[in-house]
Amino acid sequence: MSFWLYQLLAGLSFAMLLFISSAGLALIFGVMRVLNLAHGAFYAVGAWVAIALAGWTGSLLLAAMGGIATAMAIGFAIERILLSRTPAEELPQALLTFGIMLMLGDLALWIWGGTPRTLARPEWLSGPVRVAGIVFPSYRLFVIALGVTIAGLLWYLQARTRIGTMIRAAADDAETARGVGINVPRLSSGVFTVGAGLAALGGIVGGPIIGVHVGTELDVLLLSFVVVIIGGLGSLAGSFVGAIVVGLVDTLGKALLPDFALFHAVRTDGAHPCIAADGPFRSPAMMADVHAGGGFRRQAVVSAVVLVVLAVLAVLAALPIAGDAYVLGVAARMMVFALFASSLNLVLGFAGMASLGHAVYFGVGAYTAAKLSLAGVSGFGLQLGMAGLAAAALAALFAPLILRASGAYLLMITLALAQVVWGIAYGWREFTGADDGLPGVRRPDSMLPWDISGDAGFYYLILLLFALLVAAMLVLTRSPFGLALVGIRENERRMAALGYPVGRYKYIACVLAGGMAGVAGAMLAWQNGFVGPSCLSVAYSATALIMVILGGAGTVFGPVIGAFLIVALENVISGLTERWMFVLGATYVLATLFAPEGLVGLWRRWAEHRS
């Protein structure tokens, strides 16, 4: 009996820490409809600043106040300077806040280093207490009491105060709220600032228990997402219930079945109906021609595109002449990620379905090729085919869940599903090598008329596959199927009324995109000679997203351009400074603010203006 009581209290203390940490995320989405992917960074900022101030001042109270104030100041600046300038759509806001998370995480690494740190407990909460015959840490009891108190205060604020009434009005109908005199922009700034402060408070409260380390921001973000998905995005009461569920499942799972704690139940609808969404970026670059006479189709521009494509292929084909292995490796990586981004573009740019978990198919393809290689199956055709089939099969399994969601829930469910697969890869050491990965992946044998064991021969294999798959993508998107996807993206109800099987088209797009991502993953496994869980991570998914958006979603060559630029920047900047993640995050922010239609869209606008 004492064992179960101890585990129950431990689970409740973890649950209240989760609630404190995730309440701000639910509050921000409930009022602003912003999917704040920087939420975990505010948690980490609060913890890092509090730990530093505690060391300098010796006062935990001043440290806590300083950590919360710092996070709130950063949150206010982000909302006023950046978020207020973005389109009122989930995807650009998610990308911008993800970029901010990368920037803040890299700044924390630069300032405080990579050593994990913990915050000292208050002296009066440093010892254990006896509760119902068991000895339990007093600080964890304090966390339980604090979580319940904050939940009560937030409920009172929303339900019994004038500010709460305005918050509910803005959350229900922002336009009507403006009409009755509520300053919605100022209210949004206040809510975002308070949400950042709540996240920082979570970091300070969790500092003595779990501490803070490099990557804490992503860990906390993912746990917070699980909480708000279970409770329902935007619902504080739901988040409280979700936190209790996750806290108890995690704690009891670790006690009884250690591997079980890697997985958490997720729902596509939470406690509330899915919100409506109009799809990702609406921009000239995404407005493809559904009808033969529509859009921008000047012959001069088409000819210019053909010439540029031929010139790029000629340069890529001539690169081995230089004989530089490093240059060939970078160029091969560009093409691999161009294919990965193009696969995402099929569902995002053409079908209008955003995803924060597309890397799961990329990683499954990489693992499939790696396992076949290590098992002695050396044929490149078999490895490539099996990688594509494995990823397509997983996409076929996930697609029914994905197609039920839209808007922010679509981003959340794709992220949640990908995290389940990542958890399997990370915990199943016998099969995947866990965090050690699978080293020793060999390049496959081929039936091609040239040897691919050397750098140049392998490079030409990647170039051939790249050219073939891009050509296939070009044909697919110009086919009746591709044009139907564009129509579904622009007006799904109208396409359904015209008799198109909308669900079937979107399902096929998901499976094709998954298979193509799996092929790209196999190519990366061959190039690196190693596969690890990181290739399944949300960071890879977000990188593919920014490649698509930067180049131009809904265009065939936009993701290729975006991938080439991002990989080139990564290799150039990382050679000049260790702050590459900061630069990558800044690229997310700048692309979201200044090039939402992508580089191809900017070029089209310029060409139209010149003509």
Side-chain angles (χ1 to χ4, degrees):
M1 184 63 184
S2 59
F3 169 81
W4 292 109
L5 179 59
Y6 188 96
Q7 295 301 326
L8 176 64
L9 290 176
L12 287 176
S13 66
F14 183 49
M16 291 303 99
L17 175 58
L18 287 176
F19 172 72
I20 296 170
S21 302
S22 62
L25 183 65
L27 183 65
I28 289 170
F29 185 84
V31 176
M32 302 172 62
R33 290 297 186 262
V34 171
L35 196 61
N36 179 26
L37 299 188
H39 186 75
F42 294 135
Y43 175 102
V45 165
W48 282 118
V49 172
I51 290 170
L53 289 177
W56 294 340
T57 66
S59 170
L60 291 176
L61 179 60
L62 289 177
M65 293 172 61
I68 294 172
T70 301
M72 292 178 73
I74 294 173
F76 178 81
I78 289 171
E79 200 284 328
R80 285 288 79 204
I81 298 172
L82 299 176
L83 276 174
S84 60
R85 301 173 184 268
T86 59
E89 298 170 355
E90 291 87 357
L91 183 57
Q93 293 167 343
L95 282 174
L96 185 142
T97 53
F98 190 84
I100 291 169
M101 183 194 75
L102 295 180
M103 295 170 70
L104 292 177
D106 200 53
L107 282 176
L109 177 62
W110 182 35
I111 296 171
W112 288 290
T115 304
R117 303 277 296 278
T118 57
L119 184 65
R121 302 183 183 188
E123 188 68 27
W124 55 282
L125 291 174
S126 59
V129 295
R130 184 170 292 277
V131 179
I134 66 170
V135 177
F136 195 76
S138 58
Y139 184 79
R140 287 183 174 266
L141 291 177
F142 167 76
V143 172
I144 295 174
L146 180 64
V148 173
T149 301
I150 291 175
L153 290 174
L154 289 175
W155 172 84
Y156 183 82
L157 175 69
Q158 277 199 315
R160 294 289 187 268
T161 66
R162 183 172 180 272
I163 293 177
T165 302
M166 292 191 293
I167 289 175
R168 295 198 309 274
D172 292 339
D173 192 334
E175 189 172 341
T176 302
R178 290 189 187 95
V180 298
I182 297 175
N183 191 330
V184 175
R186 182 181 299 175
L187 183 67
S188 296
S189 296
V191 167
F192 197 88
T193 303
V194 170
L198 283 171
L201 177 60
I204 294 165
V205 173
I209 300 176
I210 59 177
V212 64
H213 58 274
V214 176
T216 291
E217 59 275 5
L218 186 57
D219 296 339
V220 171
L221 175 67
L222 296 175
L223 275 174
S224 298
F225 275 164
V226 172
V227 169
V228 298
I229 286 175
I230 292 175
L233 278 173
S235 169
L236 286 172
S239 295
F240 186 80
V241 174
I244 292 176
V245 171
V246 174
L248 292 177
V249 167
D250 184 86
T251 303
L252 295 176
K254 287 176 179 176
L256 301 177
L257 298 169
D259 290 336
F260 180 73
L262 290 169
F263 311 103
H264 301 279
V266 295
R267 297 174 55 178
T268 58
D269 57 348
H272 304 283
C274 291
I275 62 171
D278 296 324
F281 288 90
R282 296 295 183 200
S283 64
M286 294 182 62
M287 304 297 289
D289 300 332
V290 180
H291 302 292
F296 181 67
R297 303 185 58 187
R298 301 185 185 277
Q299 185 62 39
V301 174
V302 175
S303 300
V305 170
V306 171
L307 289 175
V308 170
V309 171
L310 291 176
V312 170
L313 288 176
V315 170
L316 290 174
L319 276 182
I321 298 175
D324 191 320
Y326 175 76
V327 173
L328 292 183
V330 172
R333 186 175 179 85
M334 287 178 174
M335 290 185 282
V336 168
F337 274 88
L339 294 177
F340 177 34
S342 295
S343 69
L344 175 60
N345 187 44
L346 183 61
V347 290
L348 169 63
F350 289 94
M353 297 182 290
S355 173
L356 275 174
H358 197 67
V360 68
Y361 311 122
F362 184 73
V364 165
Y367 267 108
T368 301
K371 293 297 290 186
L372 289 172
S373 174
L374 295 174
V377 179
S378 59
F380 100 95
L382 183 57
Q383 286 192 25
L384 203 67
M386 291 301 296
L389 285 174
L394 184 64
L397 179 65
F398 284 171
L401 295 175
I402 293 171
L403 296 180
R404 291 179 58 197
S406 62
Y409 274 97
L410 178 57
L411 293 171
M412 295 289 289
I413 192 62
T414 53
L415 175 60
L417 291 171
Q419 282 305 116
V420 170
V421 179
W422 177 88
I424 294 173
Y426 192 82
W428 195 1
R429 180 171 293 276
E430 294 80 6
F431 187 78
T432 65
D435 53 341
D436 293 331
L438 298 177
V441 178
R442 297 181 179 180
R443 293 176 180 176
D445 298 331
S446 77
M447 301 176 62
L448 299 173
W450 68 84
D451 181 20
I452 66 171
S453 60
D455 292 330
F458 179 73
Y459 172 82
Y460 278 124
L461 170 63
I462 299 295
L463 178 59
L464 175 63
L465 293 174
F466 169 74
L468 290 175
L469 289 174
V470 170
M473 187 75 176
L474 192 61
V475 172
L476 177 66
T477 55
R478 296 296 190 274
S479 68
F481 173 78
L483 296 178
L485 287 181
V486 175
I488 292 169
R489 182 197 71 204
E490 296 305 321
N491 195 322
E492 184 173 329
R493 290 183 180 179
R494 179 176 296 177
M495 293 295 287
L498 291 173
Y500 284 85
V502 170
R504 188 188 307 166
Y505 273 89
K506 293 170 72 173
Y507 185 89
I508 293 172
C510 288
V511 174
L512 289 176
M516 187 173 175
V519 168
M523 294 162 65
L524 185 71
W526 297 341
Q527 183 185 18
N528 291 345
F530 171 84
V531 176
S534 63
C535 64
L536 297 152
S537 69
V538 64
Y540 269 62
S541 295
T543 298
L545 268 174
I546 199 60
M547 288 173 176
V548 174
I549 300 306
L550 180 61
T555 66
V556 173
F557 296 109
V560 176
I561 295 170
F564 278 29
L565 285 176
I566 292 295
V567 174
L569 275 175
E570 177 185 2
N571 284 273
V572 171
I573 301 299
S574 61
L576 300 175
T577 176
E578 296 180 354
R579 304 276 70 83
W580 157 243
M581 294 305 295
F582 184 91
V583 174
L584 181 61
T587 303
Y588 280 56
V589 173
L590 294 174
T592 303
L593 292 177
F594 300 110
E597 71 269 45
L599 297 176
V600 172
L602 290 175
W603 176 76
R604 281 180 169 176
R605 271 200 295 164
W606 175 83
E608 286 180 331
H609 178 73
R610 288 292 300 271
S611 63

